[in-house]
Amino acid sequence: MRASHTGSARLGPWVFALLLTPLLADSAAAQSSDRVRRIAAQSIGELRVWDSAVDRMDRDGTLRLRQRRADAMLESRTHERFDQFYKGVRVHGGDIARQMDDGLTTSVFGGIYEGIGLEDVTPVLSSADARAAIAGLSGAELPDSFEPELVILPRDGGEFALAYQGRAFGAEGLYIYFLDARTGDLLLALDDLKTQATVGRGTGVLGDNKKVSTNRVASGYRTEDELRPPTLITFDMKGNLARTVNFLNGVVSLGVADIAADSDNTWSDPAIVDAHAYAGYVYDFLYRRFGRRGLDGSDSRVLALVHPVDRSTVRSQSNSVVGTFFLNAFYAGGGVMVFGEGLPADVVDVQRRNWNYLSGALDVFAHELGHGVTDFTSRLIYRNESGALNEAFSDIIGVAAEFYHQPAGSGALRADYLIAEDVVTPGGIRSLANPQQFGDPDHYTARYTGTQDNGGVHINATIPGHAFYLAIEGGTNRTSGLSVSGVGAANREQIERVFYRAFTEMMPANATFAVARTVTLQSAVDLYGAGSAVTRAVSEAWTAVGVN
Amino acid sequence: MRAPFRSLWSGFGLVALLLVSSDAHAQPSAWGDNGYVSINALYGVTTETNEVSSRQDLYQETAEITARQEIGKRPVFDVTAGGRIKGRFGMGFGVSYAVADDQAAVTAAIPNPFYFDRPRTLDGSTTLERSDLMVHVQAMWLLPITDTVQLTVFGGPTWFQVKQQTIESLVIDDVFPFDTVSLVSTERERATVSAWGVNGGFDVSYFFSKNVGVQGLVRYSRGTATIGATGVDSDVTVGGLHAGAGLRIRY
């Protein structure tokens, strides 16, 4: 349903919106879908309106500043992110990103929900009741410190519900549960595993030598990076799935004994070596390419967990465990990443692919850390198009990190546009250059519209990912037949910066592909100018993949 | 290295015999009754650029370190003694000693802590002590110019003993993102090596009494010594042109 936002019933208490409605009714700056008002203010008139509106909402508590950061690429720019609140309760997915240049607003993007209309936001269930309910749903043992957040949940039918939101790792995986705060009914369960892949197995080590930044202790050496600013620790879970799950649920804490250790600092476990080295590689990439200091921009910790299961037990494990802890890598929030064990050498997946340790691929590692960056920036909702953008950004970071650290080419330890090709052999699991190679869409008209995969977050990620590829390399989209003049491989940094800046500083949480097009173009114009080859390449690329 | 010395010494003996046999008019008094001793204060007037390399294991790679030092312009203490063999020909021995703390320019390729084969360049300086002990064996030919002034020309082999401080390791300052590195200090060790070379020169002496005089001395010596520091051999030039004056006593 495409509801007009001109009706006063949808504006509810937002008097400011009522006043602005005539101005914005036909404007590209404000699009209405269900009850979310999408904002993409870039012209002077739109900016004037939305800048004052944001200030007003900030004053009256409708918006609350979540983050203010200096732009790492443009010295004079700052970025603010606001969460939407309704009667003091955060609205899930409602947020606005405002860019300022020396105090003057230069862009406002966002999505805010209208017509919430809940009279009473007092929950019937207590926080403890909600915790117990989530524990029951997930099958997880949750600590007393686990405190679900009271939120307003926009429903698919355009209604709103007062809900408790909590994240738990259970037998079925990592989910965000939304419980009705009055009845305790489950309203929504979002799969929050930002999975990298699901089917395959590995055959061992790639054989390359790496340096491992470690910490010397009395008993030997531990995988604690003491040379880079953030805490980078690699834990060896020693195949103990129960302990891994209990840690992810906050039931147990990992201690010194869980940190990977070696007696002589010559490390022989390839999964540990790659996990620890790549944590540093990706940190270095983000820092040197974008000026970003870690996941949150302030050197927050990164904890890598390897060997979450015993590889030899794969035949006795459930499909869920195999899919999560053997054939997968995922970002579990809070800087924690888990890298699957792969498969024994004599086991292949249904596509007859081998799976190595998931930590052995730089793009996989960077992909997962990309989810961490998203968690600290746009918080793209992991569902439908915003979820696909979430995955696409991680793919882009994965590919960009490869090209930063590895020579271009094909084969092991070479940079390309394939995802996970170093550990899922042959071929990897996705291609940004040719999404159809893996049956993924390369054009908006071919997008997946079903409910599986959280609305196709992995499947449809290749549409913006392919746009990223075309903007760099140029070429012709196989579906539309439209050609793109890319900036060329030698200038890939320009496109990387455009996408990174757009996704981390300006992208709203519930962005659609169309919003992503607008935001990346704004980023390109900001960085390189409206008439630049970069801006033209980005525009052509989105058009070629059918996003206008 | 004893065999080359014997060969060289034999050569000088042959030259001496030839000189003695051809000098029927030598004046023994110029040598004194037995010989002479001179004590000289010399100064190195030339410099040699020496580079001593060393290695240091760092960040799972090897740092290549080079200390570049200008050696030469420094005081040299010298004692020489000689005696007549026949006619104007004589043999003598000289011992020279020089020591100095000289500034050394330090350059190094310091490995990156995170990545192989991405060294960073370090430039710094340190002070390295260097002492040279030179033992000169000299065949001498003495020519009286007047009753009080005489010229001595000499040449022969020199044995050098060099004590050179080398850089054992660097104490560096490098922090993330590890693009640059600076030198904090150096850990040093002392290498002692010896080598054979040659010397040649002359002195002009003036006697203001029968046995005591003053002299001016010019001596050039040269050799090459191999200094091994942390497993790396470096050839350094030893000796140089030394000039000065001293007291000469005949006895």
Side-chain angles (χ1 to χ4, degrees), chain A residues 7-8 86 102 144 235 246 292:
Chain A
S8 60
Y86 176 80
D102 278 337
D144 291 342
F235 290 95
N246 281 336
R292 183 177 192 83

Side-chain angles (χ1 to χ4, degrees), chain A residues 439-459:
Chain A
D440 295 321
D442 65 355
H443 194 271
Y444 193 67
T445 57
R447 72 190 183 280
Y448 172 76
T449 56
T451 57
Q452 299 296 311
D453 186 30
N454 275 13
V457 295
H458 293 93
I459 301 167

Side-chain angles (χ1 to χ4, degrees), chain B residues 86-105:
Chain B
K86 186 170 185 182
R88 290 177 179 167
F89 180 73
M91 291 297 296
F93 296 91
V95 177
S96 302
Y97 181 75
V99 61
D101 288 333
D102 288 313
Q103 199 76 0

Side-chain angles (χ1 to χ4, degrees), chain A residues 196 278 281-282 285-286 289-290 339 361-374 389-407 413-422 429-430 432 465 468 472 492 496 499-500:
Chain A
Q196 181 61 23
Y278 286 154
Y281 282 26
V282 178
F285 163 70
L286 292 172
R289 189 65 112 201
F290 307 124
F339 291 92
L362 176 58
D363 55 359
V364 172
F365 208 106
H367 176 105
E368 301 310 334
L369 279 175
H371 284 306
V373 173
T374 297
L389 288 168
N390 189 323
E391 279 295 329
F393 175 69
S394 282
D395 279 353
I396 288 168
I397 291 296
V399 165
E402 264 199 5
F403 276 101
Y404 184 83
H405 282 293
Q406 298 174 348
L413 300 171
R414 292 291 182 272
D416 50 34
Y417 289 92
L418 294 167
I419 304 296
E421 77 285 357
D422 279 357
I429 60 166
R430 274 195 296 280
L432 305 194
F468 170 79
I472 295 174
R492 69 174 59 257
E496 291 173 5
F499 274 72
Y500 167 82

Side-chain angles (χ1 to χ4, degrees), chain A residues 18-32:
Chain A
L18 183 63
L19 295 172
L20 296 173
T21 298
L23 174 65
L24 301 174
D26 298 319
S27 167
Q31 302 168 15
S32 176

Side-chain angles (χ1 to χ4, degrees), chain A residues 73 119 344 458:
Chain A
M73 298 182 190
E119 295 295 327
H458 293 93

Side-chain angles (χ1 to χ4, degrees), chain B:
Chain B
M1 301 298 293
R2 296 177 63 85
F5 172 62
R6 280 199 299 269
S7 174
L8 191 63
W9 182 242
S10 301
F12 275 100
L14 179 62
V15 171
L17 289 174
L18 291 172
L19 287 172
V20 167
S21 61
S22 64
D23 184 19
H25 305 289
Q27 298 180 12
S29 61
W31 284 100
D33 295 335
N34 297 298
Y36 79 92
V37 175
S38 66
I39 300 171
N40 304 291
L42 308 178
Y43 191 78
V45 295
T46 58
T47 58
E48 295 286 347
T49 301
N50 284 331
E51 290 186 353
V52 177
S53 299
S54 54
R55 291 177 182 152
Q56 176 182 354
D57 289 338
L58 188 64
Y59 300 142
Q60 297 293 325
E61 289 185 89
T62 301
E64 301 288 345
I65 306 165
T66 300
R68 180 186 173 95
Q69 201 172 17
E70 299 290 331
I71 301 290
K73 292 190 174 180
R74 54 185 172 160
V76 180
F77 178 73
D78 178 85
V79 176
T80 298
R84 187 176 74 87
I85 294 179
K86 186 170 185 182
R88 290 177 179 167
F89 180 73
M91 291 297 296
F93 296 91
V95 177
S96 302
Y97 181 75
V99 61
D101 288 333
D102 288 313
Q103 199 76 0
V106 180
T107 58
I110 304 296
N112 184 291
F114 303 134
Y115 304 99
F116 283 108
D117 302 320
R118 297 189 197 175
R120 300 155 294 153
T121 301
L122 176 145
D123 291 302
S125 65
T126 190
T127 300
L128 297 177
E129 185 183 279
R130 158 81 174 260
S131 67
D132 292 65
L133 175 66
M134 294 155 277
V135 179
H136 312 286
V137 179
Q138 298 172 332
M140 298 175 164
W141 186 69
L142 189 151
L143 177 65
I145 297 176
T146 67
D147 288 345
T148 57
V149 177
Q150 61 188 49
L151 170 69
T152 308
V153 179
F154 53 83
T158 297
W159 179 80
F160 298 91
Q161 183 189 64
V162 178
K163 293 182 178 179
Q164 169 76 59
Q165 269 191 330
T166 61
I167 296 175
E168 181 180 20
S169 62
L170 303 174
V171 179
I172 59 174
D173 180 20
D174 62 344
V175 296
F176 186 85
F178 296 97
D179 291 331
T180 60
V181 57
S182 59
L183 179 64
V184 176
S185 63
T186 55
E187 298 292 329
R188 290 161 291 189
E189 61 184 356
R190 187 184 300 276
T192 302
V193 297
S194 59
W196 284 98
V198 296
N199 76 87
F202 65 93
D203 65 56
V204 178
S205 54
Y206 169 72
F207 287 88
F208 45 80
S209 71
K210 177 183 178 186
N211 295 322
V212 180
V214 295
Q215 70 172 24
L217 171 66
V218 176
R219 179 192 290 120
Y220 180 76
S221 61
R222 189 176 181 86
T224 300
T226 300
I227 294 176
T230 61
V232 186
D233 287 343
S234 304
D235 288 339
V236 300
T237 302
V238 293
L241 182 62
H242 301 152
L247 186 67
R248 182 160 175 155
I249 300 169
R250 291 189 292 211
Y251 61 95

